[in-house]
Amino acid sequence: MIKERLRRSVMYAAGNNPGLLQNAGIYGADSVIFDVEDSVAVTEKDSARELVYHALKHLQFPCEIGVRINHISTPWGYDDLEYLLPAKPDYIRLPKGESGDEIRDIDKMITKVEEKCGFEPGSIKIMVSIETPKGLRNAYEIATASPRMIAIAIGGEDFAASLKTEKTKGNSITGGRELFVARSMLVFAAREAGIQAIDSVFSDLRDEETLINEVTMVKELGFDGKSCVNPRQIDIIHRVFTPSSQEIDYAHRVLTVYQEALANKSGVIALDGKMIDMPMVIRAERVLANARAAGIYHKEGN
Amino acid sequence: MINAAGREIPASIEGYKEVVPYAGAFATQPPAGARKAGPKLKAVYPGANKLLNSIDEAIEACGLKDGMTISFHHHFRNGDHVMNMVIAAIARKGIKGLTLAPSSFLDTNDELIPYFQQGVLVAAETSGLRNKLGHFLTTNKIGKPTIIRTHGGRVRAIEAGELKIDVAFIGAPTCDTYGNINGVHGSAACGSLGYAMVDSRMADTVVAITDNLVDHPICPVSIPQYQVDYIVKVDCIGDPKGISTGALRVTTNPRDLHIAKLAAKVIEHAGYFKEGFGMQLGAGAASVATGKYLRDIMLRDKIVANFAIGGIVGPFCDLLDEGLIRTLFDVQSFDARTIQSLRDNPRHQEYDCTFYANPWNKGPMVNKLDYVVLGATEVDVNFNVNVMTDSNGIMMGALGGHPDASAGAKCTIICAPLLRGRLPMVTDAVQTVSTPGETVDVIVTDRGIAVNPKREDLLANLQGKGLPLMTIEQLRDMAYELGGKPAPLKMSDEIVAVVEYRDGTVLDVIRRPLL
């Protein structure tokens, strides 16, 4: 069965802040991104790179750690890769992805470093943020440009700006309409490519209610998770992505009959008189993985 | 000799009473047959006038002489004008050799350093020391070592006759013309006068200093007229901005919130979270924030606390108003929201410090605590807590009610980050023991929770609840691995302060560091 890594929350930590890097792992985020791009001023780029390198090299984290590099078209992008890849981040996050060529370029560099450093081939992954209409048009190509691709994400503020509008907030009816199509198209591309879709950050830390609405909406659209910049948002995001007890119960039964069918080598699988097909099994696995991560489902096996 | 907290204590300390080493949290009892100390008998007959024209007049009227002991309360915190103003007046009169015994010192008392240098003040007895005054008293030899007491220990020492207050100068937010005082009205309103109530009752002479003199009588009365000798009206006794900030906000620091969330879960599962429980949450960021998470759990499980005590902060008053706490006992009000609540809500009660924490009375409120959540500067593998000295051995904190509540509560929870900057906060041995480890049950850090091994019951209750439990040694190792093990401080042999346990025994001594 496909075991997909859970990425409900993807938290950024500014790469030039040692306190943030040191504690980034304690808040329970599924994935953390050390950022040497937007949150780091031009004058700090080199020191952030060194801090992130040493954090990766010498600290242990309980979760997956990615690094957001500067785009490879900037003066820092390739240097970021060259300096940081030997510290073996779990993945590279590329901002403003627009073409498959960029991804293939990065893939080549990663391959070289993996060989040179003796890392397992293919162990360093890639996540790409889509921030422009061009990137969105090429989203499927980007998502399939390398077997290292694990997720595509939408950079909401940048995308809205490139549409010459602004990112709004509000409930699922009145807010976020400017990104509605883009978000859905991103999910289509991710699903077609068989990788994950991650939503952008919600920046008003005090407005928990709108955050809940926004996470609820993107979960409905099919997103696997949401980015955030502050640990205070992690619990809220996880709560929305946590399945209900009915969902868990149903998923558990789906997997139970599926495994029974496998054991009995039976071809047709049914539950409550309904056919169970592969997508339902995969969905059930995702529901239980979410439930397990939320600490409300403890059965092993399934 | 080595005391029961594992500390090397000299057999005698120059300038300090007979040394009785700490023998255990409840090992040292009041001497058999001993009676409470008390103030001199005095009579004020009808027609007498207590109003004086100035602080100078009051100093003369109370017969203040070289070598006496004077006291102040710290309810005005950094807004206090009274202590500095009175000591300046005393110095102008040429009086010397005084012992200064306030309920605590704050940053604003840095102004007192010259009076120690000039010999106006030669000794200090207090709950806490901060900032430049803390640095000065750690690095300079004055007449006697500073005595550091807990809030409960201070009342005990006063009632046992170990701390004899000749004159108490009471900053009075509202005072009537015959000496009745309260803290809930007036521009310098500070809420509870819990510490001042003790000094007013026990000092030989009591001088009320007020900027809000009103007609006799007032309502409510916290300190009654029959305890007050003289009244002086001045322009301003305190700056409201330094006394309280509007409503204390729950921290937004994610690490403190993370620790608070874990502490609330410990409360939920440790075994005493039941209808009618009693609690105290300290005024530190993580302790206050614990209330925010506990509120959600109390609402969900429909559990109401019978009481909460301690210094009180605004978020506790919200819980009182919401019906999640049945009554508050307030010895010190930390923000304007609390002062308002104490004034307006009859279920929010003012109480004095003996009622709160004195170990040698017939039962302080701390004895009834199920839970207390407190902070720490550092803790060690024996669960000893230091809230008194910094990483250079300089005094910069206050015992407050920390050791009192820890001794009383069924479950004492200490919140601290594993590292501050790069300094490990769980160590082999704390620099200064301020609360002994035998009274501490659970250490909650941002990276793990350790339960005192003598509390097997708590450990059993907390297992399997999704909490990051580990041993205290594992926490220490993690802290050392991340931050490195700091080199021990170089200390002189000179004892600059004695840390008394609440029963008056010597818990630890503070030596002058060689900086």
Side-chain angles (χ1 to χ4, degrees):
Chain A
M1 269 189 264
I2 312 141
K3 290 277 181 202
E4 216 178 38
R5 189 190 269 272
L6 209 56
R7 293 189 186 88
R8 299 165 300 177
S9 54
V10 179
M11 185 182 81
Y12 287 103
N16 58 341
N17 183 330
L20 278 181
L21 296 183
Q22 172 190 296
N23 290 319
I26 68 175
Y27 301 111
D30 291 329
S31 192
V32 168
I33 296 177
F34 291 166
D35 183 28
V36 297
E37 195 222 6
D38 267 3
S39 58
V40 177
V42 170
T43 50
E44 296 266 310
K45 292 287 184 198
D46 52 344
S47 59
R49 210 182 268 154
E50 285 197 31
L51 267 176
V52 168
Y53 175 86
H54 288 288
L56 286 166
K57 209 68 182 154
H58 302 292
L59 299 179
Q60 287 184 338
F61 297 96
C63 63
E64 173 184 69
I65 306 284
V67 172
R68 180 163 78 172
I69 59 165
N70 294 280
H71 194 270
I72 49 176
S73 63
T74 68
W76 308 284
Y78 284 111
D79 288 348
D80 287 342
L81 283 169
E82 203 163 317
Y83 196 88
L84 292 169
L85 281 171
K88 202 173 189 301
D90 292 308
Y91 61 92
I92 293 295
R93 163 107 168 206
L94 178 74
K96 207 184 171 190
E98 293 200 317
S99 76
D101 285 342
E102 296 162 354
I103 312 307
R104 285 183 280 273
D105 220 13
I106 293 170
D107 181 295
K108 269 184 222 153
M109 272 197 80
I110 298 178
T111 305
K112 253 190 246 163
V113 173
E114 280 177 344
E115 276 169 21
K116 198 169 129 200
C117 298
F119 301 154
E120 188 191 330
S123 55
I124 299 177
K125 310 292 186 191
I126 305 173
M127 186 188 290
V128 177
S129 160
I130 307 286
E131 299 168 16
T132 61
K134 183 181 175 191
L136 189 61
R137 179 163 50 80
N138 293 330
Y140 176 74
E141 195 210 333
I142 290 169
T144 52
S146 158
R148 299 181 190 275
M149 285 295 300
I150 50 172
I152 45 177
I154 184 156
E157 294 286 356
D158 289 305
F159 199 95
S162 67
L163 294 181
K164 296 193 175 176
T165 178
E166 55 189 309
K167 191 165 182 275
T168 60
K169 64 176 201 176
N171 62 37
S172 53
I173 297 165
T174 62
R177 281 179 293 198
E178 70 287 349
L179 288 180
F180 186 71
V181 173
R183 277 174 164 144
S184 286
M185 285 178 69
L186 189 96
V187 173
F188 301 164
R191 291 293 172 258
E192 189 181 358
I195 65 173
Q196 290 179 330
I198 308 293
D199 191 47
S200 69
V201 299
F202 178 77
S203 49
D204 187 347
L205 289 178
R206 287 162 306 177
D207 187 354
E208 294 191 353
E209 197 186 325
T210 307
L211 172 65
I212 292 170
N213 287 336
E214 192 169 293
V215 185
T216 307
M217 176 182 67
V218 301
K219 186 191 168 207
E220 277 171 17
L221 291 181
F223 279 91
D224 297 276
K226 189 163 178 66
S227 305
C228 62
V229 287
N230 191 295
R232 280 152 63 195
Q233 296 184 325
I234 292 172
D235 275 357
I236 296 170
I237 294 171
H238 286 191
R239 218 181 301 144
V240 176
F241 276 101
T242 299
S244 68
S245 53
Q246 289 94 326
E247 285 175 292
I248 295 168
D249 183 55
Y250 184 69
H252 178 76
R253 290 166 61 215
V254 167
L255 288 190
T256 307
V257 296
Y258 174 71
Q259 278 156 359
E260 280 168 10
L262 278 188
N264 301 334
K265 298 196 170 58
S266 131
V268 183
I269 314 168
L271 179 66
D272 303 336
K274 281 184 200 152
M275 290 281 293
I276 301 291
D277 52 13
M278 211 45 209
M280 291 176 76
V281 173
I282 292 170
R283 186 182 132 66
E285 276 170 2
R286 191 159 53 238
V287 166
L288 293 190
N290 267 317
R292 217 176 265 126
I296 56 171
Y297 180 77
H298 301 288
K299 290 197 184 70
E300 290 305 317
N302 280 336
Chain B
M1 60 195 127
I2 305 281
N3 70 9
R7 292 282 146 157
E8 173 69 43
I9 308 292
S12 70
I13 298 167
E14 193 190 337
Y16 180 71
K17 69 179 169 88
E18 183 197 347
V19 171
V20 181
Y22 170 73
F26 302 102
T28 304
Q29 306 287 326
R35 287 190 177 277
K36 245 186 234 179
K40 284 179 184 158
L41 280 171
K42 289 188 188 178
V44 171
Y45 294 117
N49 178 23
K50 296 185 182 183
L51 287 173
L52 300 176
N53 291 315
S54 65
I55 290 173
D56 283 53
E57 258 184 42
I59 293 167
E60 276 165 34
C62 49
L64 191 69
K65 288 198 282 287
D66 292 0
M68 281 187 164
T69 296
I70 57 175
S71 85
F72 298 85
H73 68 70
H74 71 291
H75 288 288
F76 299 156
R77 286 174 285 274
N78 274 321
D80 183 55
H81 292 170
V82 175
M83 198 184 328
N84 295 345
M85 182 162 64
V86 169
I87 290 170
I90 290 171
R92 283 197 300 271
K93 289 201 168 295
I95 298 170
K96 286 189 181 289
L98 297 178
T99 294
L100 178 57
S103 49
S104 201
F105 286 111
L106 286 140
D107 292 356
T108 180
N109 300 123
D110 285 352
E111 283 182 33
L112 298 176
I113 293 172
Y115 303 117
F116 281 103
Q117 288 166 328
Q118 292 156 16
V120 176
L121 305 170
V122 293
E125 303 186 21
T126 174
S127 159
L129 276 163
R130 294 183 169 85
N131 222 35
K132 289 180 187 150
L133 182 60
H135 192 279
F136 174 81
L137 289 175
T138 320
T139 53
N140 289 274
K141 197 172 170 84
I142 56 168
K144 293 173 179 176
T146 298
I147 302 175
I148 312 289
R149 294 192 179 96
T150 76
H151 285 328
R154 180 174 185 268
V155 194
R156 185 210 56 79
I158 293 170
E159 293 191 351
E162 290 164 25
L163 170 53
K164 179 82 206 71
I165 299 169
D166 294 298
V167 185
F169 294 92
I170 307 291
T174 290
C175 183
D176 69 31
T177 49
Y178 211 50
N180 293 297
I181 298 169
N182 75 43
V184 292
H185 296 121
S187 63
C190 61
S192 174
L193 289 171
Y195 305 120
M197 288 157 92
V198 173
D199 295 32
S200 308
R201 191 167 66 231
M202 298 299 292
D204 278 344
T205 303
V206 175
V207 180
I209 298 175
T210 189
D211 55 9
N212 186 35
L213 185 67
V214 297
D215 280 347
H216 179 269
I218 54 168
C219 177
V221 174
S222 296
I223 292 172
Q225 60 191 43
Y226 60 82
Q227 294 174 350
V228 177
D229 294 76
Y230 305 111
I231 302 156
V232 179
K233 163 96 163 58
V234 297
D235 290 337
C236 179
I237 58 170
D239 173 7
K241 282 202 255 3
I243 295 171
S244 64
T245 48
L248 192 141
R249 295 268 294 270
V250 173
T251 179
T252 55
N253 178 314
R255 188 168 61 161
D256 286 331
L257 287 172
H258 179 64
I259 294 171
K261 195 165 57 179
L262 292 174
K265 274 192 168 178
V266 169
I267 291 178
E268 179 187 356
H269 296 296
Y272 306 108
F273 183 61
K274 291 179 185 142
E275 175 58 29
F277 75 109
M279 65 172 160
Q280 174 172 349
L281 305 184
S287 310
V288 171
T290 301
K292 163 188 150 86
Y293 294 104
L294 194 58
R295 174 181 174 273
D296 295 341
I297 302 170
M298 291 169 83
L299 283 170
R300 185 196 67 200
D301 294 355
K302 298 189 170 51
I303 283 180
V304 173
N306 268 0
F307 68 91
I309 66 167
I312 300 295
V313 293
F316 257 28
C317 303
D318 297 339
L319 294 180
L320 180 71
D321 285 354
E322 269 188 281
L324 290 174
I325 298 174
R326 293 202 170 88
T327 179
L328 292 179
F329 288 85
D330 188 347
V331 72
Q332 180 179 17
S333 316
F334 277 100
D335 56 10
R337 166 80 178 94
T338 307
I339 297 167
Q340 168 267 322
S341 171
L342 178 68
R343 189 174 55 226
D344 300 336
N345 190 333
R347 302 206 66 83
H348 185 153
Q349 312 184 58
E350 182 178 27
Y351 73 151
D352 76 1
C353 192
T354 195
F355 194 170
Y356 167 42
N358 180 1
W360 284 6
N361 66 20
K362 294 168 189 173
M365 280 304 283
V366 294
N367 287 4
K368 300 298 286 178
L369 284 171
D370 291 294
Y371 289 108
V372 62
V373 181
L374 298 163
T377 304
E378 54 169 353
V379 298
D380 68 24
V381 289
N382 295 311
F383 289 80
N384 294 315
V385 175
N386 174 19
V387 293
M388 201 55 223
T389 49
D390 68 11
S391 58
N392 289 317
I394 302 291
M395 294 191 274
M396 54 88 243
L399 299 190
H402 198 295
D404 301 306
S406 297
K410 292 194 184 83
C411 178
T412 298
I413 300 165
I414 304 294
C415 293
L418 192 68
L419 299 167
R420 281 183 216 275
R422 55 153 292 189
L423 292 172
M425 292 297 130
V426 180
T427 64
D428 285 324
V430 289
Q431 180 63 30
T432 304
V433 177
S434 56
T435 294
E438 67 168 302
T439 63
V440 171
D441 301 304
V442 185
I443 309 282
V444 178
T445 76
D446 44 352
R447 290 166 190 264
I449 297 173
V451 179
N452 193 326
K454 78 185 176 68
R455 294 303 304 270
E456 286 173 22
D457 56 329
L458 292 182
L459 188 60
N461 290 337
L462 294 173
Q463 271 162 347
K465 301 296 192 298
L467 291 166
L469 296 176
M470 46 189 82
T471 66
I472 190 83
E473 289 81 9
Q474 284 172 316
L475 278 180
R476 172 204 58 195
D477 292 347
M478 204 190 320
Y480 281 170
E481 195 186 317
L482 286 164
K485 185 174 174 173
L489 295 179
K490 290 195 179 71
M491 310 300 287
S492 70
D493 289 334
E494 197 179 304
I495 291 173
V496 291
V498 177
V499 179
E500 281 190 4
Y501 192 56
R502 57 202 297 257
D503 59 10
T505 58
V506 178
L507 182 62
D508 207 346
V509 293
I510 296 171
R511 294 180 173 87
R512 183 169 58 81
L514 297 167
L515 293 172

